Amino acid sequence: MLAHLDAALVRAGHRSLVVACAGSRVEGELLEVPRIEGVLDDKTRARAQESHRQAIAAALTTHRVDLVHLHGIDFDAYLPPPGVPALATLHLPPSWYAEGALRPGRPLTWLNCVSAAQHRTCPPGPALLEPIGNGVPVEALAARHAKRGYALCIGRICPEKGYHLALDAARRAGRPLLLAGRVYPYAEHEAYWAARIEPRLDRLRRFVGPAGFARKRRLLSGARCLVVPSLVPETSSLVAMEALACGTPVVAFPAGALAEIVEHGRTGFLVEDEAAMAEAIEASGGIDPETCRAAARERFSAGAMTRRYLDLYGRLA
């Protein structure tokens, strides 16, 4: 999402300053912070927050900045001092943010959600703006590949994503499943992989590692369906939108915004348990890929998302 906004700002003739870790690729100007290696614990988190505070302060000193747009779950730890307007986009469930973060006392500070479902769970207040739904590059995802028989999961491999349930559902359905993604070096993520994922892998249920854009598009386009077994209220689901843009239906629990993204029986299935998930994996072969693509073009375009943000930037600045 941040990459799309950065590119849209540059295309529109604005100056885009991006605070991100060393090695990041941006369209505007990269303001580097050190890349954190090793275990992600409280000590490394504090160090990263301090790096971000320093980078934002330096940008405000050396550039004429109209608006600071923050995306991190810990955005309140590096909000700039009062002065320049600030917008914080909330990408995660509101209950995951620090107490007080969603009621900012800093003047000229606003918040926005990325779905109607998330917005409904946010504490109301004058700082909370209307939500702006996420979008994906539907045109770039239009490449076509022959459908194969596997179900697919893509994402961060961690407890709340529930991928162990997808593996069990695929086994119950007698279908192969490919799991793509990365285990980040959080202790709880590594423990989840060792206890709940690795023991379920076999010849038909396989882990294929991280997937860059081209490989992800290939995997999504060739899949029978994307399975999203999230155990927490998803505030959005970029991978579900990407799957639809690739002509692939989505089988998901109705967790948060997933119930808004998937049109049951038309672009996929919303299910309540593992048994229903297995049945939906089998039934997904009857969903029309062109219906999925049309829904993505109409509802989940990255271009529409960036236009709404640039309009909001103009109003806040």
Coordinates of all heavy atoms in Angstrom, one line a residue, residues 136-138 141-142 240-248 292-293 296-297:
V136 N -5.4 -3.1 -4.9 CA -4.3 -3.9 -5.4 C -4.2 -3.5 -6.9 O -5.1 -3.0 -7.5 CB -4.5 -5.4 -5.2 CG1 -4.6 -5.8 -3.8 CG2 -5.8 -5.9 -5.9
P137 N -3.0 -3.8 -7.5 CA -2.8 -3.5 -8.9 C -3.5 -4.5 -9.8 O -2.9 -5.4 -10.4 CB -1.2 -3.5 -9.0 CG -0.8 -4.5 -8.0 CD -1.8 -4.4 -6.9
V138 N -4.8 -4.3 -10.0 CA -5.6 -5.3 -10.8 C -5.0 -5.5 -12.2 O -5.1 -6.6 -12.7 CB -7.0 -4.9 -10.8 CG1 -7.6 -5.0 -9.4 CG2 -7.3 -3.4 -11.3
L141 N -2.1 -7.8 -12.3 CA -2.4 -9.1 -11.9 C -3.3 -9.8 -12.9 O -3.8 -10.9 -12.7 CB -3.2 -9.1 -10.6 CG -2.4 -8.7 -9.3 CD1 -3.3 -8.2 -8.2 CD2 -1.4 -9.8 -8.9
A142 N -3.4 -9.2 -14.1 CA -4.3 -9.8 -15.1 C -3.7 -10.9 -15.9 O -4.4 -11.6 -16.7 CB -4.8 -8.7 -16.1
A240 N -6.5 -11.6 -0.6 CA -7.8 -12.0 -1.1 C -8.2 -11.2 -2.3 O -8.7 -11.7 -3.3 CB -8.9 -11.9 0.0
M241 N -7.9 -9.9 -2.3 CA -8.1 -9.0 -3.4 C -7.3 -9.4 -4.6 O -7.7 -9.4 -5.7 CB -7.9 -7.5 -3.0 CG -8.8 -7.0 -1.9 SD -8.2 -5.3 -1.4 CE -9.3 -5.0 0.0
E242 N -6.0 -9.7 -4.3 CA -5.1 -10.1 -5.4 C -5.6 -11.4 -6.0 O -5.5 -11.6 -7.2 CB -3.7 -10.3 -4.8 CG -3.0 -9.0 -4.4 CD -1.7 -9.2 -3.6 OE1 -1.6 -10.2 -3.0 OE2 -0.9 -8.3 -3.7
A243 N -6.0 -12.4 -5.2 CA -6.6 -13.6 -5.7 C -7.7 -13.4 -6.7 O -7.7 -13.9 -7.8 CB -7.0 -14.5 -4.6
L244 N -8.7 -12.5 -6.3 CA -9.8 -12.2 -7.2 C -9.3 -11.6 -8.5 O -9.9 -11.9 -9.5 CB -10.8 -11.4 -6.4 CG -11.5 -12.0 -5.2 CD1 -12.4 -11.0 -4.5 CD2 -12.2 -13.2 -5.6
A245 N -8.4 -10.7 -8.4 CA -7.8 -10.0 -9.6 C -7.2 -11.1 -10.5 O -7.1 -10.8 -11.7 CB -6.8 -9.0 -9.2
C246 N -6.7 -12.2 -10.0 CA -6.1 -13.2 -10.8 C -7.1 -14.2 -11.2 O -6.8 -15.3 -11.8 CB -5.0 -14.0 -9.9 SG -3.5 -13.0 -9.6
G247 N -8.4 -14.0 -10.9 CA -9.5 -14.9 -11.3 C -9.6 -16.1 -10.4 O -10.1 -17.2 -10.9
T248 N -9.2 -16.0 -9.2 CA -9.2 -17.2 -8.3 C -10.2 -16.9 -7.1 O -10.0 -15.9 -6.4 CB -7.8 -17.4 -7.7 OG1 -7.0 -17.8 -8.9 CG2 -7.8 -18.5 -6.7
C292 N -14.7 -13.2 -10.8 CA -13.8 -12.8 -9.8 C -13.0 -11.6 -10.3 O -12.8 -10.6 -9.6 CB -12.8 -13.9 -9.4 SG -13.6 -15.3 -8.6
R293 N -12.5 -11.7 -11.5 CA -11.7 -10.6 -12.1 C -12.5 -9.3 -12.2 O -12.0 -8.2 -11.9 CB -11.2 -11.0 -13.4 CG -10.1 -12.1 -13.4 CD -9.4 -12.2 -14.8 NE -8.4 -13.2 -14.7 CZ -8.6 -14.5 -15.1 NH1 -9.7 -14.9 -15.5 NH2 -7.5 -15.3 -15.0
A296 N -12.9 -7.7 -8.8 CA -11.7 -7.0 -8.4 C -11.5 -5.6 -9.1 O -11.1 -4.6 -8.4 CB -10.5 -7.9 -8.6
R297 N -11.7 -5.6 -10.4 CA -11.6 -4.4 -11.1 C -12.6 -3.3 -10.6 O -12.2 -2.1 -10.5 CB -11.8 -4.6 -12.6 CG -10.7 -5.3 -13.3 CD -10.9 -5.3 -14.8 NE -12.2 -5.8 -15.3 CZ -12.4 -7.1 -15.7 NH1 -11.4 -7.9 -15.6 NH2 -13.6 -7.5 -16.1

